Amino acid sequence: VTEDLVLLAAVGIDAEGTKHPLGLVEGATENAAVVQALLDDLVGRGLAPNVCRLFIVDGAKALTKAIRRTFGRDTPIQRC
């Protein structure tokens, strides 16, 4: 691992508060292609896009845009 390595991770939290790693890709939240690839992979592995979920993001516009494109315009997003 080098100091130049940037990773984008998706972590889910269940009703009991337990964290579950869902996906990991090399790249940044500002990179629309990387963000969309991560979300497409999650959906491809069974994450239903029609289930309402709260997404907590770092504020990157590419990330918010990809979430809304994949999970719907009204998907709740909280910026941390």
Side-chain angles (χ1 to χ4, degrees), residues 1 3-5 7 10 16 20 25 28 30-32 41-42 45 52 54 57 62-63 67 73 77 79-80:
V1 177
E3 64 185 54
D4 297 328
L5 182 65
L7 297 173
E16 288 77 39
H20 302 275
V25 293
E30 295 85 6
N31 185 322
D41 178 62
L42 295 176
R45 290 188 295 116
C52 185
L54 170 63
V57 302
L63 183 54
I67 290 169
R73 194 180 121 198
I77 297 174
R79 182 176 178 217
C80 65

Side-chain angles (χ1 to χ4, degrees), residues 12-29:
I13 302 173
D14 65 24
E16 288 77 39
T18 304
K19 296 176 187 176
H20 302 275
L22 302 176
L24 182 70
V25 293
E26 184 176 354
T29 58

Side-chain angles (χ1 to χ4, degrees), residues 39 42-53 55 70-72 75:
L39 296 178
L42 295 176
V43 170
R45 290 188 295 116
L47 187 67
N50 59 339
V51 174
C52 185
R53 294 178 175 82
F55 288 82
T70 304
F71 296 96
T75 298

